[in-house]
Amino acid sequence: MTTTTTDDDHVAGVPTAIPDDTGAAETAQRAKRHVTRVAFVAALGGLLYGYDTGVISGTLIEIGKEFSINSGVQELITASILVGAILGAFLTGPVSARIGRRRAILIIAGVFALGVLFAALSPSPLFLILSRLFLGLAVGGSTQTIPTYIAEIAPGPRRGSLVTVFNCAIGVGILAAALVGVTLNGAVSWRFMIGVAVVPAIVLLLGMLRLPESPRWFVAQDRIGPARRVLRWLRPDDRTAEDELDEIRELDDAEPHGGAGQWAQLRKPWVRPALIAGLIVAAFTQLTGLEMMIYYTPTILTTAGFPHVYSLWANVGVGVVYLVMTFVGSRMVDRIGRRRLTLVMLPGAAVSIGLFGALFAANGGKLSPVVTIVLILAFMFFQAGGIQVVGWLVGSEMYPLRIRAAATSLHAMVLWGADLLVTSTALSLTGWIGLGGTMLLYAALNIVAWILVFRRVPETKGKSLEQIEKSLRNGTFLPHRTRSEG
């Protein structure tokens, strides 16, 4: 016995006939495998993001030698991908709203593939800068679309662990880039080190062809049949799928179709608490200093007395800690909660980086390399296992369906803008107030982040996307807020 569908209900990636005569346990396991496969394939975009942004640190010296360029041009080559990421985050929102999350990711995969090939074949520094700018469109687009796509596919109790597969993939990409930089530098051309990323880009493209569209996007387009098909494929039984579909439709009907565009709707008062909460997390995932450590650890360690070769290997250690703690955090986020995990880990990050700054300043700029690396890795431990885990997660789940594309675009733009700010000012700050003063500043920003998260970011653990949206509409979204106060 099978459940069939009409042509109007056909959905890419979902079979036209789904067996309904299997046992409940087998059906539930099958649905669980479907959801997991969707998350892991889509998360390849995170691996590409991590590798493409990180590989430049291991190739820049060889690029500089081949093109005979100064440090200013090298900075442009490094930063161009971040500028592209901001543009990509802005441009992908309207695209994913119009054509769907799945098709947007297919385009992103194509841009990833073309971008790394253009960069690897660059005949001049200007062409390389433009290629990395183009590649950045895919980096920013992936962070806008992929977490949202996974969140809209995932069941509420597993949403945190599934969305943070994207974070883990970023960690894999960063670590792979660090290993490539330290082991292949000088052994192969920098062009190969950059161009090899075309392989996972093609795998992402082919994998997405076999996955379905988000059921929530289908509902927003008034395509209820395809939405039902996808939910029945992803959920353990038809009753669960129908209940979720009814909840999605109820909230979709509550918001009039048409009227002001998504960007204009971001100004609505009832949306504002989610926007403030999400953008706080987006900004402070970068402003608290983690990306500065990833980009400049070799420079910091050389300043602290490490030989250059050990600094490169220490950078690999930073990548390992980032990946391990991102994985641990992703396993804990659905148990502990997003808000609680962030509040528990931020004080440790503040103490670690603050102690580094204080000791460095008190010792006149001379600090034991061993103490330095211990404090840096401790900082990475608390940062990567806390706020970094929830940065993209809260952006994928806090915003209402009707404005989700625009809101997630803004979320990604703020995050990448903060990343660009940190990247472009870290060395200047070090020159102005010293390495110790810079670390103390980042410690203070970790404290500010804790205060803002405590006051403005609610817990979303275990709630469906529709329950989160209902809390916004009835005024109980903020932490410590009751329905009567709303």
Side-chain angles (χ1 to χ4, degrees), residues 36-386:
T36 302
R37 178 161 66 91
V38 169
F40 274 80
V41 171
L44 281 173
L47 184 148
L48 288 160
Y49 150 24
Y51 186 87
D52 290 333
T53 56
V55 73
I56 196 66
S57 64
T59 58
L60 200 55
I61 293 176
E62 294 301 318
I63 291 171
K65 289 178 180 178
E66 179 172 331
F67 291 132
S68 300
I69 54 179
N70 58 31
S71 60
V73 178
Q74 291 180 25
E75 287 178 348
L76 286 175
I77 291 172
T78 302
S80 58
I81 198 169
L82 302 179
V83 176
I86 297 172
L87 293 173
F90 173 73
L91 296 172
T92 309
V95 173
S96 67
R98 177 175 291 275
I99 68 173
R101 318 324 186 196
R102 172 181 172 272
R103 290 178 181 172
I105 297 172
L106 287 170
I107 294 173
I108 288 166
V111 175
F112 266 127
L114 291 174
V116 295
L117 289 177
F118 290 157
L121 299 173
S122 294
S124 67
L126 177 59
F127 197 94
L128 181 56
I129 290 169
L130 294 177
S131 297
R132 283 178 58 80
L133 180 69
F134 179 73
L135 183 58
L137 297 177
V139 172
S142 69
T143 57
Q144 187 277 331
T145 307
I146 292 176
T148 300
Y149 173 69
I150 298 174
E152 292 184 344
I153 288 286
R158 296 182 64 204
R159 190 174 61 249
S161 61
L162 289 170
V163 173
T164 51
V165 171
F166 180 75
N167 299 65
C168 293
I170 294 171
V172 171
I174 290 172
L175 179 58
L179 288 170
V180 165
V182 78
T183 59
L184 298 183
N185 195 0
V188 299
S189 168
W190 63 267
R191 297 178 183 277
F192 175 82
M193 294 162 67
I194 290 175
V196 71
V198 72
V199 176
I202 293 174
V203 173
L204 174 62
L205 180 65
L206 296 177
M208 288 302 303
L209 290 173
R210 299 176 60 85
L211 297 183
E213 180 55 78
S214 158
R216 287 168 171 83
W217 182 81
F218 276 136
V219 171
Q221 303 300 309
D222 292 325
R223 297 176 62 185
I224 307 305
R228 177 178 286 110
R229 290 289 300 166
V230 176
L231 284 171
R232 287 184 173 182
W233 188 68
L234 295 168
R235 298 297 180 257
D237 56 72
D238 288 354
R239 182 69 268 160
T240 301
E242 288 297 329
D243 289 345
E244 187 169 339
L245 180 62
D246 289 343
E247 192 175 22
I248 299 169
R249 294 181 67 183
E250 177 187 348
L251 282 182
D252 183 66
D253 292 340
E255 189 68 20
H257 291 215
Q262 286 201 17
W263 287 96
Q265 292 182 58
L266 295 181
R267 296 196 297 266
K268 290 185 175 182
W270 70 274
V271 172
R272 195 173 300 135
L275 206 58
I276 292 172
L279 297 186
I280 284 171
V281 175
F284 280 96
T285 56
Q286 307 302 308
L287 296 179
T288 44
L290 179 123
E291 291 297 331
M292 181 270 297
M293 286 294 186
I294 290 175
Y295 293 146
Y296 296 116
T297 290
T299 302
I300 292 169
L301 293 176
T302 301
T303 302
F306 265 54
H308 182 63
V309 65
Y310 293 124
S311 298
L312 291 176
W313 277 107
N315 200 37
V316 174
V318 166
V320 170
V321 173
Y322 180 92
L323 175 58
V324 170
M325 289 311 300
T326 300
F327 177 77
V328 172
S330 71
R331 299 301 94 190
M332 300 298 292
V333 73
D334 278 329
R335 300 177 186 178
I336 296 177
R338 292 79 158 129
R339 181 174 185 269
R340 186 178 178 189
L341 183 64
T342 303
L343 293 176
V344 166
M345 299 296 272
L346 274 175
V351 170
S352 301
I353 198 169
L355 187 58
F356 177 96
L359 290 174
F360 196 86
N363 287 277
K366 294 187 181 298
L367 190 61
S368 163
V370 175
V371 173
T372 300
I373 190 63
V374 167
L375 290 175
I376 287 176
L377 293 181
F379 171 74
M380 292 296 298
F381 176 94
F382 290 108
Q383 266 278 321

Side-chain angles (χ1 to χ4, degrees), residues 284 287-289 346 350 422 440-450:
F284 280 96
L287 296 179
T288 44
L346 274 175
V422 169
L440 289 171
L441 174 62
Y442 284 124
L445 287 171
N446 276 268
I447 295 171
V448 172
W450 190 95

